[in-house]
Amino acid sequence: MAIGEIGHVDVVGSKVGGCHRLALTDKDKQARDLFIKWAQDIGCTLRVDAVGNLFLRRKGKSDELKPVMSGSHLDTQPTGGKFDGIYGCLAGLEALRCLNERNIQTLRPIEIAVWTNEEGARFKPAMLGSGVYAGVFKLEDALNTEDESGVSLEAELERLGYSDLADLDDPGCHQYFELHIEQGPVLERLGIDLGIVSGVLGVRWYEVEVTGRSCHAGPSPMDLRSDALVGTSKMITELTDMTMKHGQDSRCTIGELKIPNASTNVSPGKVKFSLDLREGSLDQLNELETKAFETIHRIAYHHQLEIGIKETWSLPPCPFDTKCLSLIQQACELSHPEVEPHSLVSGAGHDAVYISRVAPTAMIFVPSEDGLSHNECEYTSPDQLEKGCDVLLNTLILAANCD
Amino acid sequence: MAIGEIGHVDVVGSKVGGCHRLALTDKDKQARDLFIKWAQDIGCTLRVDAVGNLFLRRKGKSDELKPVMSGSHLDTQPTGGKFDGIYGCLAGLEALRCLNERNIQTLRPIEIAVWTNEEGARFKPAMLGSGVYAGVFKLEDALNTEDESGVSLEAELERLGYSDLADLDDPGCHQYFELHIEQGPVLERLGIDLGIVSGVLGVRWYEVEVTGRSCHAGPSPMDLRSDALVGTSKMITELTDMTMKHGQDSRCTIGELKIPNASTNVSPGKVKFSLDLREGSLDQLNELETKAFETIHRIAYHHQLEIGIKETWSLPPCPFDTKCLSLIQQACELSHPEVEPHSLVSGAGHDAVYISRVAPTAMIFVPSEDGLSHNECEYTSPDQLEKGCDVLLNTLILAANCD
């Protein structure tokens, strides 16, 4: 809540208020400085990399071994909450405090990472800092990225003093764990406070254009029309039904739909809509795509409509590391044997997706009230936050004591 | 085609070009003047009423009897064709020419009316001139109506000299007949060149607002969503199916659909759509409305969505006069016994709808190529136009010889 004061927004209906703290703004710097101060207060050392990612390090007995890493981000959406990202960073810090208080020395060092510009709300794309760390994005491209007012990421890193601190010496990462709020309704509906995240859904985005023949609402009998919206509606209905049968991790979302030159008394000749498909494995995603295309083309044929489909973006499915998942499972049993943790997938992307490309990775979820996130009413209770933190602590101990 | 030159627009793919001739512009005045000249050339007298409607009169043997009237309009849509409205006026003139050439004297006088601002493209609402004539609109309100640049109808009537001519002496109307292109595909599909229009469909417009809960496309499993677009799509599908079963004159059109704050990876929490329902009789329209509302509310309940429905405009069904229809039927048999005229409804409004409130009325249709109208490619072949004209001529003779 102290970090949440930085960028705090009063919101009617929100239990603790929202937060407006875009990446590499003065407010983000204030939050990062407070975080660094707290970490240094308990003896951590700071390393900053070339894209402004922060690493707060607690020594291990064998300090030359690769560190176990936990982390998340401190930046928020424009109308964000106080938990998305921030919780993961602070839980890592709290785990280190516990280790200190109980004089527990781990074999490996532990590092808490604060990734730059996870939200993508100021600089595109999202998960920029972790993407550079994992080699998904070139450092040069990331530095040249500009916000809407034309300010580059590099200029902000210089202005805030991170460029001077940049240390290119990378000790690597043994295993990475990220604790996060779920941002969906699954754990809350089940009444389970702990989730073990088996992976992140792959995503494909498409633009679909449906072309029929527009005609006047009056003189055209129903059976002589080629109404692009009527066809599209059948597609949406059948795509949804098909996806629900496809599997519990399958997702199909039509978020945008436009009728060019729409008029109340004209049956639409053209409709454009967006299609967002998600699945847990590449095979399943391919199968979901095939079925979706079949559905669209079959209905188009039946309604005498023409179809154009263009893929606009994609991200492959990201299954997490089984060893890391097993460590989290053990940590749950150690810290909260009364809770049967629920295994689920993440539908949204996280820094962990990119880190998983360079280190064994897994995630822990706690519930989000009403499934809300990217929303000023985002909330998770202190009791639930504490449970997640307990599991992260035990996970880090288990991981950092393996050689 | 000579009148079509006034406002002619060259259009690729159009057989005779389009026409841009908005009501009471200089071009409209030119077309009206040419029409008046042609009518006066064959001995007609002109009367102009207070809203600029023109009446070209051919004397009857008993000239004190109410005239039989035929007419339509000379104004066009911004991207209109050369037939919608214009055909009806010119066919009336042609009928009078035939009567002259054959020295046929009718018992009653015959008047050809040119109604002001039928299209509603420049001044709102549509069918303004015939509406004032029929007492549907107050003259004062009509005169105060302004176009988009703030020019009033009254100012244009004055500028064009119609105010000075205005004659408030109204000889009434014994029966009114309007010949028009179909503006839909029915006659063309049937391969029948003559249509007897039994009436004009009643229309009701609604705005429907569907409210669910928006959520992130990834973290929200399909079965935990209340997606307003998925619900709306089922509604559109079932409304269409229900309407097709309801009757051959039933129409249901969703022409506009909007998703506020739409985003590719957000399942929509709100959808607004327009609903246009049409039916041939008041009972059927009420029944169609009841079924439509039931469909919407049933699906909303099933998908946990809230519904708001607001009626925004309506026009009652307008069944035409049986005696007038029977005269047209006789005229078809006299002029084209080889054609079995098809009885159909008009889905679009016409001046005849308003005139029917003050005089027995019916309409004759000829086919529209590809069902097109309000379109620069609007076309009806000379042969089809001639057939319609023949029927109008015989209808006028039959009607004008009844006392």
Side-chain angles (χ1 to χ4, degrees), chain B residues 283-397:
Chain B
D283 282 351
Q284 283 171 312
L285 186 56
N286 287 336
E287 193 186 319
L288 186 66
E289 178 187 88
T290 301
K291 284 185 186 171
F293 286 8
E294 274 171 10
T295 303
I296 291 170
H297 284 291
R298 175 172 45 74
I299 293 167
Y301 178 79
H302 185 69
H303 286 255
Q304 297 178 281
L305 301 166
E306 282 171 32
I307 293 294
I309 304 181
K310 197 168 69 180
E311 187 179 312
T312 55
W313 182 71
S314 73
L315 203 64
C318 168
F320 284 144
D321 181 74
T322 49
K323 275 191 193 158
C324 290
L325 291 168
S326 150
L327 288 178
I328 295 172
Q329 179 73 44
Q330 288 177 54
C332 286
E333 285 158 20
L334 284 169
S335 40
H336 287 281
E338 80 286 5
V339 178
E340 175 75 44
H342 181 65
S343 173
L344 77 171
V345 292
S346 170
H350 293 285
D351 290 311
V353 171
Y354 287 149
I355 307 306
S356 75
R357 301 196 187 183
V358 290
T361 292
M363 291 185 75
I364 307 157
F365 273 177
V366 293
S368 300
E369 191 172 280
D370 291 332
L372 287 177
S373 182
H374 289 194
N375 188 306
E376 291 163 330
C377 293
E378 195 177 272
Y379 185 74
T380 301
S381 75
D383 176 59
Q384 291 166 326
L385 295 170
E386 191 181 330
K387 279 186 189 141
C389 202
D390 291 340
V391 173
L392 179 66
L393 169 65
N394 277 299
T395 302
L396 292 177
I397 294 173

Side-chain angles (χ1 to χ4, degrees), chain A residues 218 224-225 251 253 256 264, chain B residues 189 218 225 251 253 256 264:
Chain A
L224 298 183
R225 300 183 179 190
R251 308 275 191 276
T253 305
E256 296 181 82
T264 300
Chain B
R189 297 282 176 112
R225 300 182 179 191
R251 308 275 192 277
T253 305
E256 297 181 80
T264 300

